[in-house]
mmCIF file of all heavy atoms in Angstrom:
data_model
loop_
_atom_site.group_PDB
_atom_site.id
_atom_site.type_symbol
_atom_site.label_atom_id
_atom_site.label_comp_id
_atom_site.label_asym_id
_atom_site.label_seq_id
_atom_site.Cartn_x
_atom_site.Cartn_y
_atom_site.Cartn_z
ATOM 1 N N ALA A 1238 20.686 13.357 -5.532
ATOM 2 C CA ALA A 1238 19.922 12.527 -4.601
ATOM 3 C C ALA A 1238 20.519 12.501 -3.210
ATOM 4 O O ALA A 1238 19.874 12.011 -2.266
ATOM 5 C CB ALA A 1238 19.811 11.104 -5.138
ATOM 6 N N ALA A 1239 21.713 13.028 -3.049
ATOM 7 C CA ALA A 1239 22.336 13.067 -1.718
ATOM 8 C C ALA A 1239 21.449 13.782 -0.709
ATOM 9 O O ALA A 1239 21.428 13.432 0.481
ATOM 10 C CB ALA A 1239 23.712 13.737 -1.799
ATOM 11 N N ASP A 1240 20.691 14.777 -1.180
ATOM 12 C CA ASP A 1240 19.824 15.527 -0.272
ATOM 13 C C ASP A 1240 18.635 14.701 0.226
ATOM 14 O O ASP A 1240 17.974 15.084 1.194
ATOM 15 C CB ASP A 1240 19.298 16.783 -0.983
ATOM 16 C CG ASP A 1240 20.396 17.796 -1.252
ATOM 17 O OD1 ASP A 1240 21.426 17.749 -0.549
ATOM 18 O OD2 ASP A 1240 20.232 18.613 -2.182
ATOM 19 N N ARG A 1241 18.358 13.586 -0.421
ATOM 20 C CA ARG A 1241 17.213 12.762 -0.027
ATOM 21 C C ARG A 1241 17.584 11.713 1.019
ATOM 22 O O ARG A 1241 16.700 11.165 1.687
ATOM 23 C CB ARG A 1241 16.642 12.068 -1.273
ATOM 24 C CG ARG A 1241 16.090 13.048 -2.301
ATOM 25 C CD ARG A 1241 15.995 12.437 -3.686
ATOM 26 N NE ARG A 1241 15.189 11.216 -3.709
ATOM 27 C CZ ARG A 1241 15.077 10.427 -4.791
ATOM 28 N NH1 ARG A 1241 15.717 10.756 -5.906
ATOM 29 N NH2 ARG A 1241 14.339 9.346 -4.755
ATOM 30 N N VAL A 1242 18.867 11.427 1.151
ATOM 31 C CA VAL A 1242 19.282 10.334 2.031
ATOM 32 C C VAL A 1242 18.997 10.665 3.491
ATOM 33 O O VAL A 1242 18.433 9.843 4.231
ATOM 34 C CB VAL A 1242 20.770 10.014 1.837
ATOM 35 C CG1 VAL A 1242 21.213 8.908 2.800
ATOM 36 C CG2 VAL A 1242 21.045 9.593 0.392
ATOM 37 N N GLY A 1243 19.374 11.842 3.924
ATOM 38 C CA GLY A 1243 19.193 12.226 5.322
ATOM 39 C C GLY A 1243 17.760 12.161 5.796
ATOM 40 O O GLY A 1243 17.456 11.524 6.816
ATOM 41 N N PRO A 1244 16.808 12.806 5.091
ATOM 42 C CA PRO A 1244 15.405 12.733 5.526
ATOM 43 C C PRO A 1244 14.855 11.302 5.545
ATOM 44 O O PRO A 1244 14.081 10.939 6.445
ATOM 45 C CB PRO A 1244 14.679 13.595 4.489
ATOM 46 C CG PRO A 1244 15.716 14.578 4.039
ATOM 47 C CD PRO A 1244 17.010 13.803 4.022
ATOM 48 N N MET A 1245 15.246 10.494 4.569
ATOM 49 C CA MET A 1245 14.778 9.111 4.558
ATOM 50 C C MET A 1245 15.354 8.336 5.742
ATOM 51 O O MET A 1245 14.659 7.542 6.389
ATOM 52 C CB MET A 1245 15.165 8.436 3.241
ATOM 53 C CG MET A 1245 14.410 8.969 2.034
ATOM 54 S SD MET A 1245 14.977 8.238 0.467
ATOM 55 C CE MET A 1245 14.421 6.542 0.677
ATOM 56 N N ALA A 1246 16.631 8.569 6.036
ATOM 57 C CA ALA A 1246 17.266 7.896 7.170
ATOM 58 C C ALA A 1246 16.615 8.329 8.484
ATOM 59 O O ALA A 1246 16.392 7.503 9.384
ATOM 60 C CB ALA A 1246 18.757 8.184 7.191
ATOM 61 N N ASP A 1247 16.292 9.617 8.608
ATOM 62 C CA ASP A 1247 15.629 10.100 9.819
ATOM 63 C C ASP A 1247 14.253 9.453 9.987
ATOM 64 O O ASP A 1247 13.850 9.110 11.105
ATOM 65 C CB ASP A 1247 15.477 11.621 9.771
ATOM 66 C CG ASP A 1247 16.807 12.343 9.910
ATOM 67 O OD1 ASP A 1247 17.787 11.713 10.355
ATOM 68 O OD2 ASP A 1247 16.866 13.543 9.562
ATOM 69 N N ARG A 1248 13.546 9.311 8.877
ATOM 70 C CA ARG A 1248 12.216 8.687 8.939
ATOM 71 C C ARG A 1248 12.336 7.233 9.377
ATOM 72 O O ARG A 1248 11.548 6.757 10.205
ATOM 73 C CB ARG A 1248 11.561 8.779 7.564
ATOM 74 C CG ARG A 1248 10.143 8.242 7.509
ATOM 75 C CD ARG A 1248 9.583 8.472 6.130
ATOM 76 N NE ARG A 1248 8.413 7.637 5.864
ATOM 77 C CZ ARG A 1248 7.937 7.400 4.654
ATOM 78 N NH1 ARG A 1248 8.550 7.941 3.588
ATOM 79 N NH2 ARG A 1248 6.882 6.644 4.483
ATOM 80 N N LEU A 1249 13.322 6.519 8.859
ATOM 81 C CA LEU A 1249 13.512 5.130 9.258
ATOM 82 C C LEU A 1249 13.915 5.044 10.728
ATOM 83 O O LEU A 1249 13.422 4.185 11.471
ATOM 84 C CB LEU A 1249 14.563 4.472 8.370
ATOM 85 C CG LEU A 1249 14.892 3.002 8.664
ATOM 86 C CD1 LEU A 1249 13.641 2.137 8.637
ATOM 87 C CD2 LEU A 1249 15.925 2.481 7.661
ATOM 88 N N ALA A 1250 14.769 5.950 11.166
ATOM 89 C CA ALA A 1250 15.217 5.948 12.561
ATOM 90 C C ALA A 1250 14.059 6.194 13.521
ATOM 91 O O ALA A 1250 14.082 5.727 14.670
ATOM 92 C CB ALA A 1250 16.305 7.000 12.763
ATOM 93 N N SER A 1251 13.040 6.898 13.064
ATOM 94 C CA SER A 1251 11.920 7.247 13.943
ATOM 95 C C SER A 1251 11.131 6.020 14.408
ATOM 96 O O SER A 1251 10.377 6.102 15.380
ATOM 97 C CB SER A 1251 10.974 8.224 13.235
ATOM 98 O OG SER A 1251 10.250 7.589 12.184
ATOM 99 N N TYR A 1252 11.316 4.884 13.760
ATOM 100 C CA TYR A 1252 10.617 3.668 14.174
ATOM 101 C C TYR A 1252 11.265 3.027 15.395
ATOM 102 O O TYR A 1252 10.688 2.121 15.997
ATOM 103 C CB TYR A 1252 10.577 2.665 13.025
ATOM 104 C CG TYR A 1252 9.555 3.013 11.961
ATOM 105 C CD1 TYR A 1252 9.882 3.882 10.923
ATOM 106 C CD2 TYR A 1252 8.277 2.481 12.007
ATOM 107 C CE1 TYR A 1252 8.952 4.209 9.947
ATOM 108 C CE2 TYR A 1252 7.342 2.805 11.031
ATOM 109 C CZ TYR A 1252 7.688 3.673 10.011
ATOM 110 O OH TYR A 1252 6.754 4.004 9.053
ATOM 111 N N GLY A 1253 12.471 3.473 15.744
ATOM 112 C CA GLY A 1253 13.107 3.013 16.968
ATOM 113 C C GLY A 1253 13.689 1.607 16.922
ATOM 114 O O GLY A 1253 13.912 1.001 17.972
ATOM 115 N N ILE A 1254 13.954 1.087 15.740
ATOM 116 C CA ILE A 1254 14.564 -0.235 15.613
ATOM 117 C C ILE A 1254 16.060 -0.118 15.878
ATOM 118 O O ILE A 1254 16.756 0.663 15.236
ATOM 119 C CB ILE A 1254 14.328 -0.833 14.215
ATOM 120 C CG1 ILE A 1254 12.829 -0.891 13.910
ATOM 121 C CG2 ILE A 1254 14.967 -2.214 14.103
ATOM 122 C CD1 ILE A 1254 12.040 -1.800 14.804
ATOM 123 N N GLU A 1255 16.557 -0.895 16.809
ATOM 124 C CA GLU A 1255 17.957 -0.796 17.229
ATOM 125 C C GLU A 1255 18.901 -1.293 16.139
ATOM 126 O O GLU A 1255 18.658 -2.334 15.504
ATOM 127 C CB GLU A 1255 18.152 -1.623 18.499
ATOM 128 C CG GLU A 1255 19.486 -1.422 19.191
ATOM 129 C CD GLU A 1255 19.527 -2.148 20.523
ATOM 130 O OE1 GLU A 1255 18.461 -2.601 20.993
ATOM 131 O OE2 GLU A 1255 20.634 -2.258 21.090
ATOM 132 N N GLU A 1256 19.981 -0.571 15.931
ATOM 133 C CA GLU A 1256 20.974 -0.984 14.943
ATOM 134 C C GLU A 1256 21.768 -2.178 15.463
ATOM 135 O O GLU A 1256 22.016 -2.311 16.667
ATOM 136 C CB GLU A 1256 21.877 0.194 14.576
ATOM 137 C CG GLU A 1256 21.085 1.272 13.826
ATOM 138 C CD GLU A 1256 21.899 2.488 13.448
ATOM 139 O OE1 GLU A 1256 22.660 2.965 14.303
ATOM 140 O OE2 GLU A 1256 21.768 2.958 12.319
ATOM 141 N N THR A 1257 22.173 -3.036 14.540
ATOM 142 C CA THR A 1257 22.806 -4.293 14.911
ATOM 143 C C THR A 1257 23.644 -4.784 13.736
ATOM 144 O O THR A 1257 23.931 -4.011 12.810
ATOM 145 C CB THR A 1257 21.724 -5.334 15.303
ATOM 146 O OG1 THR A 1257 22.349 -6.549 15.697
ATOM 147 C CG2 THR A 1257 20.759 -5.602 14.160
ATOM 148 N N VAL A 1258 24.010 -6.053 13.737
ATOM 149 C CA VAL A 1258 24.764 -6.598 12.617
ATOM 150 C C VAL A 1258 23.864 -6.645 11.381
ATOM 151 O O VAL A 1258 22.685 -6.959 11.456
ATOM 152 C CB VAL A 1258 25.322 -8.005 12.947
ATOM 153 C CG1 VAL A 1258 24.207 -9.025 13.115
ATOM 154 C CG2 VAL A 1258 26.317 -8.457 11.895
ATOM 155 N N GLN A 1259 24.437 -6.288 10.251
ATOM 156 C CA GLN A 1259 23.710 -6.252 8.983
ATOM 157 C C GLN A 1259 24.620 -6.910 7.943
ATOM 158 O O GLN A 1259 25.711 -6.436 7.678
ATOM 159 C CB GLN A 1259 23.404 -4.798 8.618
ATOM 160 C CG GLN A 1259 22.330 -4.611 7.552
ATOM 161 C CD GLN A 1259 22.902 -4.539 6.158
ATOM 162 O OE1 GLN A 1259 22.880 -5.526 5.438
ATOM 163 N NE2 GLN A 1259 23.423 -3.376 5.754
ATOM 164 N N HIS A 1260 24.180 -8.019 7.380
ATOM 165 C CA HIS A 1260 25.026 -8.835 6.500
ATOM 166 C C HIS A 1260 25.499 -8.057 5.286
ATOM 167 O O HIS A 1260 26.638 -8.219 4.835
ATOM 168 C CB HIS A 1260 24.244 -10.091 6.081
ATOM 169 C CG HIS A 1260 25.055 -11.129 5.385
ATOM 170 N ND1 HIS A 1260 25.486 -10.992 4.083
ATOM 171 C CD2 HIS A 1260 25.511 -12.340 5.803
ATOM 172 C CE1 HIS A 1260 26.169 -12.068 3.729
ATOM 173 N NE2 HIS A 1260 26.199 -12.898 4.762
ATOM 174 N N ASP A 1261 24.641 -7.253 4.699
ATOM 175 C CA ASP A 1261 24.883 -6.342 3.579
ATOM 176 C C ASP A 1261 25.073 -7.032 2.234
ATOM 177 O O ASP A 1261 25.273 -6.359 1.231
ATOM 178 C CB ASP A 1261 26.079 -5.415 3.851
ATOM 179 C CG ASP A 1261 25.955 -4.084 3.116
ATOM 180 O OD1 ASP A 1261 24.829 -3.554 3.069
ATOM 181 O OD2 ASP A 1261 26.964 -3.581 2.579
ATOM 182 N N ASP A 1262 25.032 -8.350 2.190
ATOM 183 C CA ASP A 1262 25.102 -9.040 0.898
ATOM 184 C C ASP A 1262 24.391 -10.391 1.005
ATOM 185 O O ASP A 1262 24.907 -11.419 0.568
ATOM 186 C CB ASP A 1262 26.557 -9.236 0.469
ATOM 187 C CG ASP A 1262 26.681 -9.589 -1.014
ATOM 188 O OD1 ASP A 1262 25.766 -9.256 -1.786
ATOM 189 O OD2 ASP A 1262 27.707 -10.189 -1.405
ATOM 190 N N LEU A 1263 23.199 -10.377 1.584
ATOM 191 C CA LEU A 1263 22.482 -11.617 1.864
ATOM 192 C C LEU A 1263 21.717 -12.063 0.624
ATOM 193 O O LEU A 1263 20.555 -11.728 0.424
ATOM 194 C CB LEU A 1263 21.537 -11.436 3.049
ATOM 195 C CG LEU A 1263 20.853 -12.718 3.529
ATOM 196 C CD1 LEU A 1263 21.873 -13.728 4.019
ATOM 197 C CD2 LEU A 1263 19.849 -12.402 4.631
ATOM 198 N N HIS A 1264 22.386 -12.861 -0.190
ATOM 199 C CA HIS A 1264 21.749 -13.419 -1.381
ATOM 200 C C HIS A 1264 21.720 -14.941 -1.278
ATOM 201 O O HIS A 1264 22.151 -15.524 -0.280
ATOM 202 C CB HIS A 1264 22.453 -12.951 -2.655
ATOM 203 C CG HIS A 1264 23.927 -13.231 -2.689
ATOM 204 N ND1 HIS A 1264 24.441 -14.514 -2.817
ATOM 205 C CD2 HIS A 1264 25.003 -12.407 -2.613
ATOM 206 C CE1 HIS A 1264 25.760 -14.466 -2.841
ATOM 207 N NE2 HIS A 1264 26.124 -13.204 -2.694
ATOM 208 N N ASP A 1265 21.231 -15.595 -2.311
ATOM 209 C CA ASP A 1265 21.016 -17.039 -2.246
ATOM 210 C C ASP A 1265 22.294 -17.860 -2.353
ATOM 211 O O ASP A 1265 22.255 -19.089 -2.267
ATOM 212 C CB ASP A 1265 20.002 -17.485 -3.308
ATOM 213 C CG ASP A 1265 20.327 -16.947 -4.693
ATOM 214 O OD1 ASP A 1265 21.408 -16.362 -4.879
ATOM 215 O OD2 ASP A 1265 19.489 -17.103 -5.601
ATOM 216 N N GLY A 1266 23.421 -17.197 -2.527
ATOM 217 C CA GLY A 1266 24.694 -17.895 -2.480
ATOM 218 C C GLY A 1266 25.335 -17.842 -1.106
ATOM 219 O O GLY A 1266 26.376 -18.478 -0.879
ATOM 220 N N GLN A 1267 24.716 -17.111 -0.179
ATOM 221 C CA GLN A 1267 25.225 -16.990 1.190
ATOM 222 C C GLN A 1267 24.381 -17.765 2.188
ATOM 223 O O GLN A 1267 24.722 -17.829 3.371
ATOM 224 C CB GLN A 1267 25.243 -15.504 1.617
ATOM 225 C CG GLN A 1267 25.802 -14.532 0.590
ATOM 226 C CD GLN A 1267 27.303 -14.569 0.493
ATOM 227 O OE1 GLN A 1267 27.911 -15.626 0.616
ATOM 228 N NE2 GLN A 1267 27.909 -13.421 0.280
ATOM 229 N N VAL A 1268 23.275 -18.320 1.737
ATOM 230 C CA VAL A 1268 22.398 -19.125 2.585
ATOM 231 C C VAL A 1268 22.585 -20.589 2.199
ATOM 232 O O VAL A 1268 22.557 -20.930 1.005
ATOM 233 C CB VAL A 1268 20.928 -18.717 2.426
ATOM 234 C CG1 VAL A 1268 20.023 -19.596 3.287
ATOM 235 C CG2 VAL A 1268 20.732 -17.245 2.778
ATOM 236 N N PHE A 1269 22.751 -21.453 3.206
ATOM 237 C CA PHE A 1269 23.015 -22.869 2.960
ATOM 238 C C PHE A 1269 21.944 -23.725 3.607
ATOM 239 O O PHE A 1269 21.420 -23.402 4.672
ATOM 240 C CB PHE A 1269 24.398 -23.249 3.504
ATOM 241 C CG PHE A 1269 25.524 -22.668 2.691
ATOM 242 C CD1 PHE A 1269 25.863 -21.326 2.804
ATOM 243 C CD2 PHE A 1269 26.237 -23.456 1.806
ATOM 244 C CE1 PHE A 1269 26.893 -20.778 2.052
ATOM 245 C CE2 PHE A 1269 27.262 -22.920 1.052
ATOM 246 C CZ PHE A 1269 27.603 -21.580 1.169
ATOM 247 N N VAL A 1270 21.628 -24.831 2.951
ATOM 248 C CA VAL A 1270 20.598 -25.753 3.413
ATOM 249 C C VAL A 1270 21.282 -27.007 3.934
ATOM 250 O O VAL A 1270 21.962 -27.715 3.183
ATOM 251 C CB VAL A 1270 19.628 -26.115 2.278
ATOM 252 C CG1 VAL A 1270 18.537 -27.057 2.794
ATOM 253 C CG2 VAL A 1270 19.016 -24.858 1.681
ATOM 254 N N THR A 1271 21.111 -27.268 5.218
ATOM 255 C CA THR A 1271 21.706 -28.428 5.858
ATOM 256 C C THR A 1271 20.635 -29.463 6.142
ATOM 257 O O THR A 1271 19.690 -29.177 6.881
ATOM 258 C CB THR A 1271 22.405 -28.031 7.177
ATOM 259 O OG1 THR A 1271 23.369 -27.015 6.893
ATOM 260 C CG2 THR A 1271 23.104 -29.220 7.801
ATOM 261 N N PRO A 1272 20.730 -30.651 5.592
ATOM 262 C CA PRO A 1272 19.696 -31.672 5.799
ATOM 263 C C PRO A 1272 19.838 -32.345 7.156
ATOM 264 O O PRO A 1272 20.389 -33.424 7.282
ATOM 265 C CB PRO A 1272 19.962 -32.664 4.663
ATOM 266 C CG PRO A 1272 21.430 -32.542 4.415
ATOM 267 C CD PRO A 1272 21.791 -31.101 4.692
ATOM 268 N N ASP A 1273 19.366 -31.653 8.204
ATOM 269 C CA ASP A 1273 19.546 -32.229 9.536
ATOM 270 C C ASP A 1273 18.256 -32.260 10.340
ATOM 271 O O ASP A 1273 17.406 -33.101 10.119
ATOM 272 C CB ASP A 1273 20.673 -31.519 10.294
ATOM 273 C CG ASP A 1273 20.477 -30.010 10.349
ATOM 274 O OD1 ASP A 1273 19.422 -29.530 9.919
ATOM 275 O OD2 ASP A 1273 21.381 -29.313 10.825
#
């Protein structure tokens, strides 16, 4: 599957969305609810 990563990444890059911070583990234990 390594051969599939590059073409998929190129296709995603073609949308022109700028790279930025990416949490990489955003699950429901990392989000907190503050009653304010």
Side-chain angles (χ1 to χ4, degrees):
D1240 292 338
R1241 297 159 56 187
V1242 178
M1245 291 176 68
D1247 290 343
R1248 183 176 162 197
L1249 180 55
S1251 71
Y1252 284 86
I1254 304 296
E1255 190 173 348
E1256 293 179 316
T1257 182
V1258 66
Q1259 196 268 100
H1260 190 286
D1261 208 40
D1262 196 24
L1263 187 62
H1264 55 70
D1265 50 8
Q1267 315 284 36
V1268 178
F1269 289 76
V1270 181
T1271 304
D1273 54 7

